[in-house]
Amino acid sequence: MSKEENEIIVEVKNVRKSFGKLDVLKGVDIEVRKGEVVVILGPSGSGKTTLLRCLNFLEKADSGTLRIGDKSVDLKKVRKKEILELRRKTAFVFQNYNLFANKTALENVTQGLIKAQKVPKAEVKERGMQALEWVKLPEKAGSYPSQLSGGQQQRVGIARAVALCPDVILFDEPTSALDPELVGETLELIKKVAGTGITMIVVTHEMSFARDVADKVIFMDGGYVVEQGTPDEIFVNPKDDRTRQFLSRIIPPEYSI
């Protein structure tokens, strides 16, 4: 493994987050290396989506430290300028697409290029169309979200993330809002993204995807990281009783672990 491939690109230390009296994150530590696909599993309420949102500052953590690339911040004291710097290093794919209803597919894809990255106008349309072509939706460039299926809207969301060329893409249960027949094609597209070598952190309940694509699997419960390891270590030989209980409930009997 080269030095660059071994580089830790995302480092989270002792991150805590509460909503009122509810402690959602209770001191989370994770490391993600450059080019890794990290999948976070866990029951509802385990804190996995909150953690992902704290990494992109969609939620503000109460304390802890976060480093993305060469930029490190104290989350309790983080300033607006630092938040903007870190956000430019990430892209977020939402479970409910989160597209602007009054903008076309192309405009949704290019919004971040214009607002966050200040890409010259001459380049914006070209990069936006390249991203739509990559997700096989160039013919929908002028369509509005209401004219697109759920699967197409999620593909636009993925194109928007890819167009930014971020250090890391964060996926929050990207198939949970889709009809069952559309899940497979969206997972194949996410596998395609993984194949480019971009660093990814994916919150999902798709066990087969996690086992096939992940370099590292993290299991969270009750606001903690309970266990982490390779897919084989987690799915075949989990060490913690809570991990075994979770997997036995969520993985179908015919799917051997």
Side-chain angles (χ1 to χ4, degrees):
M1 182 179 289
S2 71
K3 182 178 179 182
E4 183 178 86
E5 289 171 327
N6 198 43
E7 174 191 352
I8 296 173
I9 196 167
V10 178
E11 185 176 40
V12 173
K13 288 186 177 180
N14 198 28
V15 170
R16 297 176 181 272
K17 173 64 179 176
S18 298
F19 295 98
K21 295 182 179 180
L22 179 64
D23 295 329
V24 179
L25 300 177
K26 302 174 183 178
V28 173
D29 300 319
I30 66 170
E31 292 181 350
V32 180
R33 298 186 182 276
K34 187 176 179 65
E36 270 191 327
V37 178
V38 174
V39 171
I40 304 178
L41 307 176
S44 296
S46 61
K48 55 191 188 297
T49 288
T50 299
L51 174 62
L52 209 65
R53 290 174 67 86
C54 285
L55 298 185
N56 192 242
F57 296 93
L58 295 167
E59 299 287 354
K60 189 178 182 300
D62 299 324
S63 61
T65 61
L66 169 64
R67 179 172 66 82
I68 302 178
D70 59 359
K71 181 68 178 177
S72 180
V73 296
D74 180 335
L75 292 171
K76 189 174 183 178
K77 303 174 183 177
V78 64
R79 298 175 307 214
K80 185 175 180 180
K81 180 182 178 183
E82 293 174 318
I83 289 173
L84 292 174
E85 286 179 40
L86 285 170
R87 275 185 171 164
R88 291 189 185 106
K89 295 176 180 289
T90 67
F92 204 102
V93 177
F94 298 83
Q95 56 183 293
N96 292 314
Y97 325 133
N98 210 40
L99 301 180
F100 293 104
N102 63 337
K103 295 185 182 297
T104 65
L106 180 60
E107 288 169 339
N108 269 283
V109 170
T110 58
Q111 184 77 3
L113 296 174
I114 297 167
K115 297 290 186 182
Q117 295 192 353
K118 310 297 183 184
V119 174
K121 289 184 178 180
E123 296 178 27
V124 165
K125 184 175 180 180
E126 180 181 359
R127 280 179 61 175
M129 285 305 301
Q130 285 175 347
L132 286 174
E133 287 167 8
W134 199 79
V135 300
K136 300 182 178 179
L137 281 179
E139 74 284 358
K140 298 294 185 180
S143 299
Y144 290 89
S146 63
Q147 299 169 315
L148 302 174
S149 69
Q152 289 171 335
Q153 289 185 63
Q154 191 58 292
R155 282 153 70 187
V156 171
I158 293 170
R160 174 176 58 190
V162 169
L164 292 169
C165 300
D167 288 352
V168 57
I169 300 180
L170 310 170
F171 292 82
D172 181 21
E173 300 193 27
T175 61
S176 66
L178 298 176
D179 292 334
E181 64 269 21
L182 297 175
V183 169
E185 70 177 39
T186 302
L187 290 176
E188 285 301 315
L189 179 56
I190 297 171
K191 289 180 184 180
K192 183 180 175 183
V193 178
T196 68
I198 195 164
T199 309
M200 295 165 49
I201 304 176
V202 186
V203 169
T204 185
H205 288 298
E206 299 291 339
M207 297 295 113
S208 60
F209 170 83
R211 186 162 185 179
D212 291 345
V213 179
D215 298 298
K216 180 193 293 181
V217 176
I218 294 173
F219 174 64
M220 290 185 65
D221 189 33
Y224 297 99
V225 172
V226 175
E227 187 170 355
Q228 58 185 302
T230 66
D232 279 350
E233 287 170 340
I234 299 301
F235 288 105
V236 179
N237 190 30
K239 295 180 175 62
D240 193 275
D241 286 342
R242 183 65 189 95
T243 311
R244 286 193 288 271
Q245 291 169 5
F246 174 79
L247 292 174
S248 69
R249 291 172 184 166
I250 202 166
I251 295 179
E254 65 272 14
Y255 185 84
S256 173
I257 65 168

